[in-house]
């Protein structure tokens, strides 16, 4: 399941983790011309005060419920976010990558 929200021309999405209902990261996605730009919420530096508020509330969401609560809180403050069922960008942007860690003794 994908969790994607739209604010103006920015999409806010959770990058799925291999553990169900958890996120590896929260990203901001925006189309510029024919190219899609993806940036981690932690590195995203918007000039718009509403985008800044959105970033601050969603950037540390690690679970689906964290993101839903952040979006709910933002909507209560009057920031209009639209839930997107079929994102227009490639789904590979928000598909989690399996991380394999090897332990060496």
């Amino acid at each position: 399941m994908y969790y994607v929200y739209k604010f103006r021309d920015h999409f806010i999405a959770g990058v799925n983790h291999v553990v169900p209902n958890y996120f590896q990261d929260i990203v901001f996605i925006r189309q510029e011309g024919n190219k899609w730009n993806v940036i981690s919420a932690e590195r995203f530096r918007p000039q718009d005060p509403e985008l800044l508020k959105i970033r601050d509330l969603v950037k540390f969401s690690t679970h689906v419920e964290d993101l839903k609560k952040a979006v709910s809180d933002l909507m209560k403050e009057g920031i209009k976010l639209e839930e997107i069922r079929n994102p227009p960008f490639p789904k590979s942007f928000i598909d989690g990558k399996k991380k394999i860690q090897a332990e060496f003794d």
Side-chain angles (χ1 to χ4, degrees):
M1 177 104 184
Y2 297 105
Y3 293 90
V4 180
Y5 298 91
K6 184 176 182 184
F7 176 76
R8 297 186 193 143
D9 60 345
H10 285 82
F11 293 91
I12 300 102
V15 177
N16 293 322
H17 195 281
V18 292
V19 178
N21 295 321
Y22 282 87
F23 299 124
Q24 285 181 357
D25 197 5
I26 302 296
V27 294
F28 282 77
I29 303 169
R30 183 174 182 217
Q31 186 173 18
E32 293 179 10
N34 292 332
K35 184 179 177 187
W36 289 96
N37 290 327
V38 181
I39 187 164
S40 172
E42 291 182 34
R43 292 165 62 208
F44 184 58
R45 303 282 184 252
Q47 300 299 318
D48 183 321
E50 287 184 317
L51 272 174
L52 188 62
K53 184 176 272 193
I54 292 169
R55 186 217 47 198
D56 289 344
L57 283 180
V58 303
K59 73 178 174 181
F60 295 121
S61 298
T62 58
H63 192 272
V64 169
E65 294 305 317
D66 297 337
L67 183 60
K68 286 182 178 180
K69 182 181 181 322
V71 168
S72 174
D73 291 348
L74 288 163
M75 291 177 132
K76 286 177 187 172
E77 292 183 23
I79 295 175
K80 295 181 182 182
L81 292 165
E82 175 187 354
E83 187 172 356
I84 304 295
R85 294 284 180 205
N86 294 314
F89 52 82
K91 290 184 177 59
S92 63
F93 291 163
I94 54 177
D95 281 334
K97 310 279 187 287
K98 290 187 180 184
K99 294 182 180 179
I100 300 172
Q101 295 179 339
E103 289 189 76
F104 297 99
D105 293 326

